[in-house]
Amino acid sequence: MGQFHAVLGLFLALIEAVAEPKISVVTALLPPRGPGRVNDTLGAGARLRVEASGGCFRWVSQRPDLVVVEEPLQEELPPRRAAEKAAEAACQEACLHAGWQQLPDESQADDGCQPVAIIRSLAESVSAVEKVLVLAQDITSPGVELRCEVYIANIDRIEVETSVRRINVDQVETLGIKAYDKQGNVFSSLEGLQFRWRLGDASVLRSPRLVDSAFKLSPVRRALAEAGAQPDTVLLQGVATGRTTVGANLTIGKKVIASPEVHLTVLENIVVLPSLIYTPPIAHLQLHLKILRGTGGPLEDFPPVQLPVPHFRWHAQGMKGNDTVLYVQPEMGRVVTQKLGTSRVLAVDSRIENNTAASVIYVTNPVTLRFWTRPLWRDPGISIMRQTPGWRGSMESGWEDEELHLLRTPTIGTSSDEPTLQLVQGRTYALKLELRDKDSNLMQIPLNLRARAHCQAANASDANLQLLHKASNSAVVIFRAVELGEGHITIENLTLEADKDDQDRGLKSTSLKLLAKQAFHVAPQLEPMVDVSGPMLLPRWHSYLLPVRGGSGRQVFAVHSQPDGAITVTPDGRVQAFGQLSSGELRVHDVRNPQNNFTLRVLVRRAGRLVLQPRYLQIRLPEKPTEKDEDRPVLVRARPEDGTDDAAEVCEAMCRLLRNLTFWNCTNLFASDRMVAEVSNGTVASVRTGPSSDFATCNLIRVGDPIQHIPWVRFVNASGARQAMDAIDRQEVLIDGVAIKARWKPRGKDNLADERKGYTSRDIFMAERDRKGGGGGGGSRALLNEKRRSRSRSRSNGRRNARGGGGGGGGGGSRSLMDDRPRDRDRGYDDRRRDERYDDRRRDDRYDDRGRYDDRRYDDRGRHDDRGRYEDRRGDDRRDDKYDDRHDDRRRADSRDGGSRRSGRL
């Protein structure tokens, strides 16, 4: 540790060796503290801060019984110089490289050096002036010694010291005390002494508590204030206008020293606005008087004084001996410029002497007229059904506050000097008039100025702009762009109107031969062509071409992303997302009008789940079997993860946002050979996938009816069928929350033909039995051939039966199948029971085969090369199985029905 002190001392010694030793106070005059108890605050005596530089010093008093040297408080230490900080940092780094783990604190680093000392007077009283030397001795250089000569003398008189004698209402000023000895020498410090301040009129001036204020006090003065004593400094605040006095008393022992009274004036801080005006002759102006309170705040936030006020008077004061330039109303502050020249307008507070505020007015001729146009972003006003020639539509009320705001704010927007004013359809704009003199000074628009403002469409049709509001002096015109097209805005026929009082003073109305005209073009609002209900959401490595409409037809696309470069955009508007999860903002603006723009948030996230839309699909089959049913599209969309990758403070809001968003483009998210669509009931619908060009769609599933046959239900009796039909008509039968519809199944030839579109194993068995009884060998073969042909095309029942047969016996076999099927339903109960047992065995075998087939399909699903042949074979087998199951159900129902043909069917 000693090595560290030696290194740091060397650095500090090198720094101090460059600077010449100096002391801040060479001669000081301090008063005695007076008799009484001495503690840390009260009665401790006057104290003075002294600083030495250019060495490492320790302080010594030659008369410690009269003057003592103390260590300063923490607040009284000087800030460490930059060179010392750099030296200490370098030394610490060297210590770290050397392997020293413990670093010394700042007090140890000082090593006895005291750059600051507090000199305090301890003498209770002195009969004559006492001289005490306070020495600052350099530890590192014994030959260097700085001296401060401290004189102890009695106070002869005191005075209240103030920089101003006028205080504004609500303003706070600081007053101090200055003390003198008999020779008129000023004491160096009175800090630590107690005083008693005297205030004349408390209704005019008050003294706030020091401890309650933000005023920066020394630690000793603040300690005195907290103890209830009054130090040598006081705060005064103006309460009301008037005059009062301030004084102070100092008590040393039995002696009381009183200061002379100081007269202070409290007044209103008044100001006249505008303070500088350029305006034409025959102009009416209204000046505003404001009273400022406190020390801060914009001038616009202070309300003007409501005139007339009895103690405020207005009058003109000519400059260069010309008193006829202006006419001023004494009570209201209304000004009329009568001729060219310069003059001042004074507002005088009669309650306080010399409390005035002024405004300088230059009267000159205008030479330039122009107007500026800017958009307004606020809601419409209220229609007042008042139309103005040269404009479209009616005017609106409720724009008065907007007019005042525009008059107070600086002029911004598009100048009429520009060749064309670009407007956006549906937006509201404000036109602000501007006059300038030959020196390009901005002139005040007079209250009595009248001008004609109108617009003219280029195609001689109705005006494209709607006038909403016009100021009485035409300084502000508010309009809305209603129709697309082009035209001109013109401001002309400017006149300064003289009223009756002006005419009585010999003034006449004056016309200004000035004109301002500008072409305009109204374009549609620039907006995306897609329905934007949220931010643009993209998976990684996807892009989206944003189509836009409106504007001039040429747009500029720009995107800012976080991280930088994670999202880009091409000049034609294709937003590209790369491999990082990111966020950005896309801004699109028109080339001709940058104010015609929109911004769109862009999010790049990982896909979390798939969504099919619509969730419920109803397929209406054709009324006639010959009609072809169309496929219904089902959109496959993707939604992002829940947003847990986002920052913790925004995760909750982001998760809530992402929960309802869909990717704008996800066509590359699932390749076509990886998208598998399945249907739970193949007898109702079939599906197939394919690419889709729809917005926010990954793939497209087409759902259609594979058999073109409505499912039907057989009931035991007709009453049960009628009850079911009534319940369906009342929408009491729901499937997945959707009410179903039903109709009675018709009887007739068409219905019979529908039932004969396929055959089961029972049909083949019955045909074979009939063939053996009277027939030839072609019946079964013809039946199988007919079944294959029925899968590829639909033909009438007569043609299909005509082709069945391989000779006379074969033809008889097919015909017997058609003719005997109605009779089969009327056979005895025993035959049907035997047939059902046979069908049950066949169905069990078929179910076992299908189970093995499902296992094989699951194992071979990933084989891409054999999938096509496998799917064709699976489709043929499934159709046969489903057809057989349907015929088994029908035949069991026939057996329960007892052969009756009167049962109801849905």
Side-chain angles (χ1 to χ4, degrees), residues 31-46:
R33 66 174 178 86
R37 182 174 56 88
V38 178
N39 56 29
D40 293 339
T41 303
L42 302 178

Side-chain angles (χ1 to χ4, degrees), residues 366-373 411 414-418 431-437 440-442 445 474-475 491 494 514-518:
V367 296
T368 303
L369 171 66
R370 64 167 61 96
F371 56 84
W372 295 77
T373 306
T411 302
T414 304
S415 172
S416 57
D417 295 337
E418 298 292 333
L431 183 151
K432 186 176 179 180
L433 210 61
E434 181 182 284
L435 287 173
R436 291 188 179 269
D437 62 6
S440 298
N441 295 314
L442 183 62
I445 303 298
S474 304
I491 308 293
L494 275 69
L514 299 175
L515 174 69
K517 187 176 182 180
Q518 186 179 27

Side-chain angles (χ1 to χ4, degrees), residues 303-600:
V305 177
Q306 298 297 322
L307 300 175
V309 177
H311 54 266
F312 286 124
R313 304 289 293 180
W314 301 78
H315 66 86
Q317 185 181 59
M319 301 177 66
K320 299 180 182 180
N322 194 349
D323 296 335
T324 60
V325 175
L326 304 178
Y327 169 77
V328 181
Q329 292 181 348
E331 296 84 9
M332 300 300 297
R334 193 177 184 91
V335 180
V336 179
T337 59
Q338 302 182 123
K339 62 179 182 179
L340 301 177
T342 305
S343 183
R344 296 203 314 171
V345 177
L346 297 179
V348 180
D349 185 358
S350 59
R351 299 170 299 176
I352 303 297
E353 184 180 0
N354 295 328
N355 187 21
T356 62
S359 176
V360 180
I361 299 177
Y362 292 88
V363 183
T364 180
N365 289 320
V367 296
T368 303
L369 171 66
R370 64 167 61 96
F371 56 84
W372 295 77
T373 306
R374 56 179 292 187
L376 296 181
W377 310 101
R378 54 153 285 179
D379 297 333
I382 302 174
S383 177
I384 57 177
M385 302 305 294
R386 174 185 170 188
Q387 295 183 349
T388 304
W391 299 89
R392 187 186 186 92
S394 60
M395 301 182 68
E396 294 179 353
S397 62
W399 296 95
E400 292 75 15
D401 294 340
E402 195 70 35
E403 173 190 337
L404 295 177
H405 175 71
L406 291 169
L407 292 174
R408 295 170 182 171
T409 55
T411 302
I412 58 175
T414 304
S415 172
S416 57
D417 295 337
E418 298 292 333
T420 304
L421 175 63
Q422 300 292 337
L423 305 176
V424 180
Q425 186 181 20
R427 290 189 183 178
T428 304
Y429 295 86
L431 183 151
K432 186 176 179 180
L433 210 61
E434 181 182 284
L435 287 173
R436 291 188 179 269
D437 62 6
K438 62 180 180 179
D439 297 326
S440 298
N441 295 314
L442 183 62
M443 306 183 71
Q444 182 82 10
I445 303 298
L447 299 176
N448 60 332
L449 179 66
R450 301 295 180 264
R452 179 173 180 262
H454 63 94
C455 70
Q456 178 64 45
N459 55 3
S461 61
D462 292 340
N464 307 82
L465 311 180
Q466 176 188 1
L467 179 64
L468 303 178
H469 175 79
K470 180 181 177 182
S472 58
N473 61 345
S474 304
V476 174
V477 175
I478 299 177
F479 64 90
R480 181 179 296 123
V482 179
E483 297 293 337
L484 301 177
E486 299 178 348
H488 290 84
I489 299 177
T490 305
I491 308 293
E492 58 183 354
N493 299 338
L494 275 69
T495 303
L496 293 170
E497 296 183 349
D499 58 13
K500 185 178 182 303
D501 295 336
D502 297 336
Q503 295 174 2
D504 294 339
R505 294 192 302 271
L507 302 179
K508 297 181 180 180
S509 300
T510 303
S511 298
L512 302 179
K513 297 181 179 180
L514 299 175
L515 174 69
K517 187 176 182 180
Q518 186 179 27
F520 67 85
H521 176 265
V522 181
Q525 169 70 40
L526 187 65
E527 58 184 2
M529 297 179 63
V530 296
D531 183 15
V532 178
S533 58
M536 178 187 294
L537 183 63
L538 293 175
R540 294 178 299 173
W541 304 109
H542 276 67
S543 64
Y544 183 78
L545 181 60
L546 181 65
V548 298
R549 60 190 173 195
S552 62
R554 298 176 56 194
Q555 301 85 26
V556 175
F557 296 84
V559 66
H560 300 280
S561 62
Q562 184 66 33
D564 190 22
I567 306 173
T568 61
V569 63
T570 60
D572 59 346
R574 181 172 293 277
V575 180
Q576 176 66 54
F578 294 99
Q580 292 179 285
L581 301 183
S582 56
S583 302
E585 184 180 74
L586 176 66
R587 187 178 188 273
V588 185
H589 68 84
D590 190 28
V591 173
R592 295 184 180 179
N593 185 12
Q595 295 179 348
N596 190 4
N597 61 72
F598 69 89
T599 58
L600 185 63

Side-chain angles (χ1 to χ4, degrees), residues 148-168:
C148 176
E149 298 179 0
V150 180
Y151 294 90
I152 308 297
N154 293 318
I155 297 177
D156 182 65
R157 59 187 177 89
I158 61 175
E159 293 181 356
V160 175
E161 184 182 19
T162 176
S163 57
V164 295
R165 298 296 177 96
R166 298 161 67 92
I167 301 177
N168 296 324

Side-chain angles (χ1 to χ4, degrees), residues 17 34 36 74 113 174 204 209 275 373 428 431 437 519 557 586 645 671 731 762 823 838 857 891:
Q74 184 66 30
C113 298
T174 305
V204 176
R209 286 168 47 89
S275 300
T373 306
T428 304
L431 183 151
D437 62 6
F557 296 84
L586 176 66
D645 292 336
Q731 296 185 353
R762 177 179 174 80
R823 290 193 299 272
Y838 176 81
R857 182 187 63 175
R891 294 185 184 278

